[in-house]
Amino acid sequence: EEQLVESGGGLVQPGGSLRLSCAASGFTFSSYGMSWVRQAPGKGLEWVSTISEGAGNTYYAGSVQGRFAISRDDSKSTLYLQMNSLRAEDTAVYYCARRGYFDLWGRGTLVTVSS
Amino acid sequence: DIVMTQSPDSLAVSLGERATINCKSSQSVLYTSNSKNYLAWFQQKPGQPPKLLISWASTRESGVPDRFSGSGSGTDFTLTINSLQAEDVAVYYCQQFYSTHFTFGPGTTVDLK
């Protein structure tokens, strides 16, 4: 069964850092571009970042550019999101998703930025 | 970035009736070299991650009931739910994957009348 499982969320103070992980199984992880998408409480979906297969290209939403870094370890079938200089407005459920049209999603991990 | 808009914001439909959701992009998401529209539709129920219903504007995902259909091209798209069922109550989002900065529409809530 194809599956994505996020982890690493939690409560962090403004200005702090957090690293999210997304473990993939059931498919050839290295063959796919992967993304992070977030959803603030009660709000819509917001694309955050994408990394191409082979990690040759990375893309970021303007709201996180310069603060977040996406990476992948194909040997571990794992996607990462390093989040620095966190702000209250980064509070959201963070999902990892496969491909440009997000055909596979994890269940998400909640990040809360609050003092 | 490509801006996606949806209408209506919400709609209430009786069981067995049709629901129609519109999505518009600020620029064309039709890639002329392959004649494909880089547009997807998702369904999200409370407490669940989104679920891909339709990709390439009109290609239904495996396992998605055939009462769901997508249409449109260029900048204007429609998701139609024929014969609405109780389990179709959800928020529906369109998304473009034409540019490297993906964007979603704000969502349309479908409820039962």
Side-chain angles (χ1 to χ4, degrees), chain A residues 45 100-105, chain B residues 4-9 11 19-25 29 37-45 49-62 64-65 67-81 90-97 103-110:
Chain A
L45 301 168
Y101 52 85
F102 308 140
D103 65 335
L104 180 67
W105 296 68
Chain B
M4 308 298 291
T5 57
Q6 289 181 231
S7 63
D9 294 336
L11 72 163
T20 302
I21 301 169
N22 300 301
C23 172
K24 189 174 184 69
S25 57
V29 298
N37 287 283
Y38 285 59
L39 189 285
W41 287 98
F42 298 88
Q43 175 193 67
Q44 188 178 31
K45 298 179 180 180
K51 174 188 175 182
L52 176 66
L53 297 175
I54 288 170
S55 58
W56 309 110
S58 61
T59 301
R60 196 183 308 113
E61 287 297 292
S62 174
V64 174
R67 63 180 179 272
F68 290 91
S69 63
S71 62
S73 184
T75 61
D76 293 278
F77 301 91
T78 300
L79 175 69
T80 302
I81 311 172
V91 180
Y92 292 84
Y93 296 92
C94 61
Q95 177 241 341
Q96 65 80 19
F97 50 103
T103 46
F104 291 91
T108 295
T109 301
V110 174

Side-chain angles (χ1 to χ4, degrees), chain B residues 13-19 67 81-86 88 112:
Chain B
V13 180
S14 300
L15 286 173
E17 296 301 305
R18 177 182 298 166
R67 63 180 179 272
I81 311 172
N82 285 307
S83 188
L84 190 87
Q85 303 299 301
D88 301 335
L112 286 177

Side-chain angles (χ1 to χ4, degrees), chain A residues 47-50 58-63 65 100 102, chain B residues 1-4 95-104:
Chain A
W47 167 78
V48 172
S49 181
T50 293
T58 58
Y59 308 95
Y60 298 93
S63 57
Q65 179 79 47
F102 308 140
Chain B
D1 289 1
I2 298 175
V3 176
M4 308 298 291
Q95 177 241 341
Q96 65 80 19
F97 50 103
Y98 179 89
S99 76
T100 54
H101 284 213
F102 305 136
T103 46
F104 291 91

Side-chain angles (χ1 to χ4, degrees), chain A residues 7-104:
Chain A
S7 60
L11 175 64
V12 61
Q13 292 189 338
S17 298
L18 213 53
R19 189 175 86 151
L20 306 183
S21 299
C22 168
S25 59
F27 64 97
T28 305
F29 178 76
S30 60
S31 297
Y32 293 92
M34 297 294 298
S35 297
W36 289 97
V37 176
R38 69 185 180 184
Q39 187 169 36
K43 302 297 184 182
L45 301 168
E46 181 187 15
W47 167 78
V48 172
S49 181
T50 293
I51 187 166
S52 63
E53 60 269 32
N57 295 292
T58 58
Y59 308 95
Y60 298 93
S63 57
V64 306
Q65 179 79 47
R67 299 188 299 124
F68 289 12
I70 191 171
S71 61
R72 64 191 297 162
D73 185 337
D74 289 345
S75 69
K76 296 181 178 179
S77 296
T78 301
L79 176 72
Y80 301 101
L81 186 67
Q82 177 67 43
M83 304 187 295
N84 300 326
S85 302
L86 283 161
R87 307 165 180 167
E89 54 265 35
D90 295 318
T91 294
V93 174
Y94 285 73
Y95 298 100
C96 60
R98 187 179 70 177
R99 278 188 166 140
Y101 52 85
F102 308 140
D103 65 335
L104 180 67

